[in-house]
Amino acid sequence: MLLLQQLINGLMQGSIYALVAIGYSLVFGVLNLLNMAHGEVFMIAGFVGLLLILALDLPIYLAIPAAMAAAALLGVIIELLCFRPIKKEFHLAPVVSTIAFGTVLVSLTVNFIGSEPQVFPAHVNIGDFSVGGILISGTELLMFAIAITLMVLLTFMLEKTKTGRAMRAMAENEKAAQILGVNVKRIIITTFAISAALAGIAGILVGLRFGVISPFVGATIGLKALAVMVIGGLGNIYGAMVAGLLLGMLEAATVVIPGLSPYVDAVIWGFLVFVLLFKPNGLLGTRVQAERV
Amino acid sequence: MLTKSKKGIFATLAVLTLVTATALTGCGDGASTSSSGDTIQIGALVDKSGKGADWGRKNEIAMNIAVEEINASGGINGSPIELLVRDTNGRNEEAVNLTRSLAGQGVAAIVGPFFSGECEVAFPQANQLQVPIISPSSAKAGISENNRPWAFRNSMTDDKLLREATPRFVKAFDVKTVVVLHDERDAWSKAVGTDDLPREFKAAGVEILNEGNYFSFNTGETNFSAIVTQVRNLNPDAIAFGGLYNEAAAFAREMERQGLKIPVLGGVGMYAGALIQQGGTAVENFVATSSWNVDSEDEQARSFVEKFKPQAAQITPADPLPGSFEANHYETIYMIAHVLEQAGVDHTTPTEEVRLALRDGFANLKDFKGITGLTSIDEKGDGIKTIYPLVVREGRFEILE
């Protein structure tokens, strides 16, 4: 019973990581770029959702898409400011500029809203339910379902749609794709918008689940999602899902196994090193096109 | 092609400028205010832009109220006080640098820093530069003691607070078994959760159910589901919580969610209006220790609360009342003024003499009457203050009888 509850706790925490990491992986898989402000997009979306709920008394089913839209817009802004003006060859520059952009977002939030976590109104939440004595959070279950659905949808999109094909072509070879008539700029913007929207929905759902959102949450979640992406396989969407759930369960395991609790960070990052030792490309291999022959 | 690469370089430069700019804004008011030479300068280290920004800004408000009051009543022996506030961003290295720069500017004393982690590195620096440094908030045992004779704290360390509060808690809730957990990343919380709380509970004859396996979390954690599940399984009478109020509130909400209704004892870092604001009904029977009672009948205390509220409401509208940190910041300015007045110091006194007067005055401070009650400084350099174990009952802190 205890172990089953802990397994559920871990899976639910893992679905948060998965959702954030899938967006990370998408940008990396298609564009070979790292957006280090991804965690801050998550944070801003949480705040946007909260402000809409507080100011306009929006119901949850409207606040969630609104937060996603705000996040998508932020993703587009990040692309235009931090990626587009910078040459592809300067690999480090967009990394540094997105770190800077994320820092600016945190600083603005601290100055305009405050450093303390902001509280979601108690009446706004998706309830919990209990199955045979096991407590399951409705919000987390929704997050889990969304993560699975998105994973399937994204894979379908990449495999079957025109945009998806264009994305895969870009992942393969951007120059060639451009010559063959792929609208590279549009694809990049689309990729960023989708990726940020995923961080956005995670941001507001996490806020709803735990009742608070803090301006500093982005750094933690961003770093964890980065670990998840590397463990799963750079740019591999299935990998991000599997590794996210795995990491959530690993965290719960450190609480269950006596004496391991203070070493939770060592366990997670040690696991990353361990995986890379034996599978240098991550658990499920790398990049979007790796799934094709 | 050329323009493209130029563009890239420009963008990179722009980014670098941005990074440098943000780095610089983190360093507080960089430029030193030139003193007109007819004031007594006191330095203050607060975190106005980092993890404790809301606290830092409110600490500054509290100190400014004290400075205005003292200056309005003629200053220190006729010399007005000038407060030089610096922003540490909550970072240890910044606290050290600013201690150095304030000492170089010839301040009489430094009030701060805020976090115990900052104090652990700033105190040795102040001690070496022979400038009195007084933290109104740090409560981790032993930090002043390791940096005699220049470091002081106008706060009760947790070992003293919990020695008093734990037996009272055990008796009030009839506690026989307890589970311990702490914040692994915060120096203060770790000391409370791994030393002070377990020691005092054992002394009170309470069994610790997770002895040798203390649960821990990281600062900023909001997901306590796994820990609460584990605690529920151990089925203790109460919980010993070494952590700050944000994490305590998040932990409380998860307790409520999983139906775990037992009392919780924490230290000074758990006492804040925000604990109740964030925790709502979940923090019922949470007990925190404090040396400040916001409902104090003392006239000066009440006037301070009234002046403080409207200004603090602009920073944290949901939690405008002064907590123990703000009260101690206000009081510390008065303490410095009191010691300097006794020593006959004014703005013409050489800096070294002013600092020596403060060092000796603080070391021998007995029964100073401030808004938190009577304060003395012990041989370790820490405050001996009135103790209030405060319990949350129906959304309000009450003194635990």
Side-chain angles (χ1 to χ4, degrees):
Chain A
M1 198 60 148
L2 169 75
L3 286 180
L4 189 58
Q5 177 72 63
Q6 292 292 32
L7 184 72
I8 299 283
N9 288 344
L11 273 176
M12 293 300 155
Q13 177 67 15
S15 61
I16 299 173
Y17 296 151
L19 207 47
V20 182
I22 287 172
Y24 238 132
S25 269
L26 189 67
V27 167
F28 193 89
V30 174
L31 310 170
N32 213 352
L33 292 170
L34 268 186
N35 171 16
M36 298 301 282
H38 196 63
E40 275 69 37
V41 173
F42 168 99
M43 179 271 288
I44 295 284
F47 272 102
V48 168
L50 174 62
L51 291 175
L52 289 173
I53 289 169
L54 287 179
L56 307 177
D57 213 12
L58 274 196
I60 293 179
Y61 61 87
L62 290 177
I64 292 174
M68 280 178 85
L73 180 68
L74 193 57
V76 170
I77 291 171
I78 290 173
E79 200 281 316
L80 293 176
L81 277 181
C82 304
F83 288 96
R84 186 159 297 195
I86 296 169
K87 267 183 82 139
K88 280 286 283 215
E89 289 74 46
F90 301 158
H91 270 297
L92 196 60
V95 171
V96 175
S97 74
T98 46
I99 289 176
F101 190 79
T103 310
V104 170
L105 289 178
V106 173
S107 181
L108 289 174
T109 312
V110 167
N111 278 291
F112 283 104
I113 297 174
S115 64
E116 293 292 279
Q118 299 296 315
V119 187
F120 280 75
H123 67 274
V124 185
N125 63 21
I126 306 163
D128 294 344
F129 53 93
S130 181
V131 181
I134 300 289
L135 188 67
I136 296 172
S137 146
T139 317
E140 283 176 339
L141 198 65
L142 180 67
M143 207 150 13
F144 187 73
I146 288 172
I148 299 269
T149 314
L150 283 172
M151 183 181 75
V152 173
L153 277 179
L154 275 175
T155 314
F156 175 81
M157 186 194 89
L158 285 171
E159 293 295 328
K160 301 278 185 249
T161 66
K162 201 168 165 220
T163 309
R165 273 199 297 276
M167 281 181 176
R168 288 209 318 271
M170 288 217 11
E172 201 76 59
N173 183 334
E174 198 176 317
K175 278 245 167 5
Q178 202 162 0
I179 291 164
L180 291 171
V182 172
N183 185 340
V184 170
K185 278 189 176 150
R186 193 176 62 88
I187 294 295
I188 293 177
I189 288 270
T190 312
T191 310
F192 265 95
I194 295 173
S195 158
L198 296 190
I201 192 165
I204 182 165
L205 286 176
V206 165
L208 287 169
R209 160 64 179 90
F210 300 114
V212 285
I213 184 87
S214 150
F216 304 108
V217 73
T220 326
I221 196 88
L223 210 56
K224 288 255 176 74
L226 195 60
V228 167
M229 177 173 84
V230 173
I231 291 169
L234 285 172
N236 186 317
I237 290 163
Y238 283 113
M241 185 78 204
V242 171
L245 296 179
L246 209 57
L247 215 59
M249 289 191 285
L250 206 59
E251 273 188 25
T254 59
V255 177
V256 177
I257 299 164
L260 213 55
S261 184
Y263 302 102
V264 59
D265 285 348
V267 168
I268 287 172
W269 297 96
F271 180 65
L272 182 139
V273 173
F274 180 81
V275 167
L276 293 184
L277 272 179
F278 293 96
K279 302 215 53 162
N281 289 337
L283 291 175
L284 300 186
T286 56
R287 305 287 311 262
V288 173
Q289 77 279 23
E291 294 157 22
R292 292 165 34 244
V293 181
Chain B
M1 228 35 210
L2 187 71
T3 48
K4 242 198 164 164
S5 72
K6 261 194 183 156
K7 237 187 181 172
I9 291 165
F10 262 116
T12 316
L13 278 177
V15 163
L16 282 175
T17 324
L18 196 64
V19 174
T20 331
T22 44
L24 282 177
T25 48
C27 303
D29 321 48
S32 73
T33 37
S34 61
S35 152
S36 47
D38 53 7
T39 57
I40 294 175
Q41 292 186 325
I42 298 173
L45 297 178
V46 294
D47 172 9
K48 284 166 63 176
S49 56
K51 58 188 175 189
D54 288 2
W55 275 333
R57 290 171 195 173
K58 291 199 282 188
N59 294 335
E60 187 181 10
I61 290 172
M63 287 187 286
N64 278 329
I65 293 173
V67 168
E68 279 161 26
E69 286 174 356
I70 294 167
N71 287 349
S73 63
I76 299 170
N77 300 320
S79 304
I81 299 174
E82 186 186 349
L83 195 66
L84 307 182
V85 179
R86 298 288 179 267
D87 176 12
T88 66
N89 192 246
R91 294 183 316 166
N92 300 351
E93 63 276 20
E94 206 54 58
V96 176
N97 290 336
L98 292 168
T99 301
R100 212 174 292 146
S101 81
L102 281 170
Q105 283 180 43
V107 294
I110 295 169
V111 179
F114 184 78
F115 294 102
S116 285
E118 294 176 312
C119 291
E120 280 176 326
V121 290
F123 278 12
Q125 182 68 61
N127 209 24
Q128 190 192 337
L129 297 167
Q130 305 192 334
V131 57
I133 189 161
I134 308 117
S135 173
S137 50
S138 160
K140 181 181 173 182
I143 307 182
S144 315
E145 197 181 2
N146 297 336
N147 296 289
R148 311 290 341 114
W150 294 92
F152 300 94
R153 286 185 293 182
N154 176 25
S155 57
M156 279 284 266
T157 51
D158 286 287
D159 49 345
K160 298 185 195 121
L161 283 165
L162 290 166
R163 193 167 307 144
E164 191 90 13
T166 311
R168 228 192 271 193
F169 174 84
V170 168
K171 211 170 142 200
F173 294 103
D174 190 24
V175 178
K176 305 222 172 12
T177 56
V178 71
V179 163
V180 183
L181 65 146
H182 69 270
D183 181 336
E184 182 69 22
R185 286 229 183 127
D186 180 66
W188 171 84
S189 304
K190 192 171 175 175
V192 170
T194 54
D195 296 338
D196 303 326
L197 280 166
R199 186 184 57 243
E200 298 309 329
F201 271 113
K202 279 177 200 159
V206 174
E207 187 197 352
I208 295 174
L209 297 178
N210 61 336
E211 186 57 55
N213 175 29
Y214 294 165
F215 298 124
S216 74
F217 52 91
N218 288 328
T219 315
E221 185 58 75
T222 52
N223 185 356
F224 285 91
S225 57
I227 293 182
V228 171
T229 299
Q230 214 62 20
V231 172
R232 215 180 53 182
N233 191 55
L234 291 166
N235 196 17
D237 295 335
I239 291 170
F241 190 90
L244 303 165
Y245 62 85
N246 285 337
E247 288 74 19
F251 179 71
R253 285 193 305 273
E254 188 64 33
M255 276 174 70
E256 185 172 60
R257 182 178 164 256
Q258 298 195 23
L260 183 66
K261 282 194 178 70
I262 48 175
V264 175
L265 175 66
V268 280
M270 217 169 86
Y271 173 58
L275 176 75
I276 297 170
Q277 182 225 332
Q278 291 178 26
T281 51
V283 292
E284 187 77 2
N285 287 333
F286 271 54
V287 180
T289 48
S290 170
S291 49
W292 155 248
N293 177 9
V294 75
D295 300 319
S296 164
E297 294 297 318
D298 175 81
E299 200 177 314
Q300 193 187 5
R302 287 173 63 174
S303 118
F304 165 65
V305 172
E306 286 315 310
K307 286 181 187 170
F308 181 86
K309 258 198 305 196
Q311 297 185 58
Q314 297 177 357
I315 296 164
T316 48
D319 178 31
L321 286 172
S324 57
F325 299 134
E326 289 90 2
N328 285 348
H329 272 81
Y330 171 91
E331 194 180 58
T332 303
I333 299 289
Y334 265 96
M335 255 180 204
I336 291 171
H338 164 81
V339 169
L340 291 179
E341 264 190 18
Q342 295 288 306
V345 163
D346 66 12
H347 69 273
T348 59
T349 319
T351 307
E352 267 169 47
E353 277 178 46
V354 176
R355 290 177 179 178
L356 281 168
L358 271 173
R359 184 193 76 182
D360 300 336
F362 259 91
N364 299 311
L365 197 71
K366 287 279 173 290
D367 291 337
F368 169 83
K369 193 189 167 310
I371 55 167
T372 67
L374 296 178
T375 300
S376 302
I377 301 284
D378 66 8
E379 73 287 351
K380 295 173 179 172
D382 294 325
I384 303 283
K385 303 170 82 78
T386 322
I387 296 176
Y388 305 100
L390 297 156
V391 60
V392 180
R393 291 233 166 91
E394 290 169 7
R396 278 183 63 89
F397 277 112
E398 289 175 13
I399 293 175
L400 180 72
E401 296 306 341

